[in-house]
Amino acid sequence: MASPREEAAVWSEEAARRVWAGAVPLQVHLHDADVTALPPPPPFLILGPRIGYLPLLIPVIKAHFSNALPPGVDTVWFEYKGLPLKWYVPIGVLFDLLCADPERPWNLIVHFRGYPSDILSPCEGEDSVKWSYMNSLKEATFIITGNSKSVMNMSQADQVALWESVMRGNLDGYKNISTKLKLGPFEEDGLARIPSGERQHSDEPESPGSGKTCRVPVRLYVRSVQEDLEDIEDALSVSDWESVSYMNRPFEIRKVEGGSYITLEHALQTLVPEFFGPKPTGRTENSGHVEALDNAPDDSDTTNSSKSSQEAEPASASLREADVTKRAKVKLVRVQGIELDMDIPFLWVANNLKHPEYYLHVCVYVGTRKQ
C-alpha cells in the first residue's frame, strides 16, 4: 500500500499534467481595419494554452489571415471588447479575469497595425515573452530561496531547453530542467506560527528548526464589479485597466510545532486584508502571525524588474482609499479557471496550481460601491 506521501506525489503529478494540458478555446477575428480582401477571412479557431501567452500564437494566426493583411510592418496586438490585452499575462489568467461568465469560444480581435503603445508595453514577439518569463522566474526564485543564483547560473543550453518546454507545453522536458533549480515543492506541512507565549512551555527557547520559513510567490489580479451584483455572470465588461489592481505579494509561512494549517481563505485575508476584512477568530486566530511580504529586499530587484517586465501597476485610487474595507466585498476567487473552496489548504493550491515561473496567479472579483 502506498504511503500518504507517495499518494500525494501521484496526485500532484496528475494535477500538474492537468494544469499543463489546460487550454482556452479561442475564436480570433481580424479587425475590420486590417482587412484588405473580400470576402473577409473567417475567424481562426485555436486552443490557447492556459499557461501560454498570446504573442506565441501569432505565427499560426498570421498564416491564417495572410491573404487579407495590409502591406507594411506588423505590430500585432489583441483586444477583448475594446480592451487591449496585456501580452505578458498568461492566457488562462486573462480569461479568468476578464470573462466573469466563461465565454467559449473566447472571441478576441487581432490587430496587425495601430499598436496602443500608451496602454501596452512594447512586444517583439517570442523574444519579449521569453525575457518576461525568465525575469519572473528570477523574481520567484529570489522569493523562495533568498537569491536568484540558480537561475542566473543556468547554462545557455538549459535556458533554451526550459523555455522550449514552456513554449511547447512539454511538462516532462520542463521537469528535467526545473528540478535543477531546487525550488520545490513548497512544504506540504507548512503551518501557521503560534506565538511563543501561547505554547505549553512558553519559557523554553525555540528549537533550531522551529522557525523554518516557506515563501510562496503570488500574483493577484483584483477586479472591481458592481457591489449589488447578484450573478457574477452579469458583471460589466472591463473597459480599462484602471479597474484592475495588479499586485506582487509574496506570502510567508513559518513552520512551528502545534500550528494550524493555512487555508486559501487565510492566505488571501493576509495578502489582501483590505478586501477580506478583519482577520477571523476561532480556528484562524493564529493567522495573524503569517506575514505577507509586500516588498522584497532591494537587492532582489524584484520590485524594479517587475515594474519593467510586467508593468506592475499600483492599486487604482478607487481600491486604495482608506475606507475600501467598507466599500469592497469579495465576490469570486479563481485560480487556473477553478472557483476553489476557500477552506482548501493554501500550500496544496500553491504546489499544484502554480505556473511554470513558480508564481501562483489568483484572480479576485470584488464588489465596490459607485463613487
Side-chain angles (χ1 to χ4, degrees):
M1 179 180 293
S3 68
R5 184 175 292 275
E6 290 172 335
E7 289 182 356
V10 172
W11 280 108
S12 293
E13 175 72 16
E14 177 63 18
R17 295 203 175 277
R18 287 177 180 266
V19 166
W20 277 66
V24 178
L26 306 176
Q27 184 164 258
V28 184
H29 306 259
L30 181 61
H31 189 262
D32 291 344
D34 291 337
V35 176
T36 62
L38 293 176
F44 183 60
L45 292 168
I46 187 173
L47 288 176
R50 274 193 152 271
I51 61 173
Y53 302 86
L54 286 172
L56 301 182
L57 304 179
I58 290 175
V60 291
I61 292 175
K62 182 179 179 180
H64 175 78
F65 293 121
S66 60
N67 293 332
L69 295 178
V73 179
D74 296 330
T75 54
V76 187
W77 55 286
F78 297 82
E79 72 164 274
Y80 174 62
K81 294 186 176 180
L83 180 72
L85 300 181
K86 305 282 189 179
W87 56 266
Y88 51 80
V89 178
I91 293 172
V93 177
L94 287 171
F95 183 69
D96 293 344
L97 179 66
L98 301 178
C99 291
D101 182 17
E103 177 184 313
R104 297 184 179 90
W106 191 21
N107 284 277
L108 303 182
I109 294 178
V110 62
H111 298 251
F112 284 80
R113 301 292 182 272
Y115 195 84
S117 55
D118 57 328
I119 299 175
L120 302 180
S121 59
C123 178
E124 301 298 330
E126 180 188 334
D127 288 343
S128 293
V129 180
K130 177 183 177 181
W131 182 87
S132 178
Y133 167 79
M134 294 301 297
N135 192 60
S136 292
L137 180 60
K138 292 174 189 176
E139 294 172 6
T141 302
F142 182 91
I143 291 167
I144 297 168
T145 67
N147 65 72
S148 55
K149 291 180 181 179
S150 59
V151 177
M152 300 294 290
N153 294 336
M154 288 179 69
S155 68
Q156 187 64 30
D158 279 352
Q159 289 188 42
V160 171
L162 182 67
W163 172 242
E164 288 286 333
S165 67
V166 172
M167 189 169 62
R168 302 184 188 285
N170 180 0
L171 176 59
D172 292 330
Y174 170 82
K175 290 169 64 177
N176 289 338
I177 304 299
S178 63
T179 51
K180 299 179 183 180
L181 302 178
K182 300 179 180 179
L183 297 180
F186 301 115
E187 290 286 344
E188 290 288 351
D189 55 349
L191 304 172
R193 184 178 182 181
I194 290 183
S196 57
E198 295 180 13
R199 297 178 192 169
Q200 186 174 1
H201 303 288
S202 60
D203 57 334
E204 294 182 6
E206 293 184 3
S207 63
S210 64
K212 185 175 182 180
T213 299
C214 171
R215 293 186 178 91
V216 180
V218 181
R219 279 190 174 148
L220 294 138
Y221 307 79
V222 183
R223 169 182 171 179
S224 299
V225 296
Q226 310 95 292
E227 183 188 44
D228 57 354
L229 196 64
E230 294 185 3
D231 295 317
I232 199 68
E233 293 82 2
D234 297 327
L236 298 175
S237 301
V238 175
S239 59
D240 58 62
W241 288 102
E242 293 300 316
S243 59
V244 175
S245 296
Y246 173 93
M247 311 173 198
N248 279 335
R249 291 190 176 176
F251 186 73
E252 180 177 289
I253 302 172
R254 294 188 181 277
K255 176 186 173 184
V256 297
E257 296 298 329
S260 60
Y261 282 91
I262 301 301
T263 65
L264 177 62
E265 182 179 23
H266 298 172
L268 292 177
Q269 283 168 340
T270 303
L271 289 165
V272 280
E274 58 268 41
F275 303 126
F276 279 80
K279 299 255 190 321
T281 57
R283 65 184 175 84
T284 61
E285 61 187 2
N286 300 319
S287 62
H289 294 268
V290 182
E291 302 173 355
L293 306 178
D294 286 341
N295 296 298
D298 291 340
D299 60 350
S300 74
D301 200 31
T302 299
T303 304
N304 293 336
S305 60
S306 176
K307 182 68 178 180
S308 60
S309 66
Q310 317 299 334
E311 284 185 350
E313 300 162 358
S316 60
S318 63
L319 296 177
R320 286 184 300 177
E321 296 175 9
D323 63 343
V324 68
T325 303
K326 300 177 182 178
R327 297 189 292 103
K329 180 181 179 181
V330 172
K331 297 280 190 178
L332 177 70
V333 176
R334 279 186 185 147
V335 180
Q336 290 288 3
I338 307 169
E339 297 176 23
L340 293 171
D341 187 327
M342 296 297 280
D343 288 332
I344 192 170
F346 173 71
L347 287 180
W348 187 95
V349 177
N351 277 320
N352 296 291
L353 301 183
K354 65 181 180 293
H355 279 244
E357 83 285 21
Y358 281 85
Y359 267 98
L360 178 67
H361 296 254
V362 182
C363 297
V364 182
Y365 287 55
V366 295
T368 55
R369 298 177 187 173
K370 295 181 179 179
Q371 300 298 302

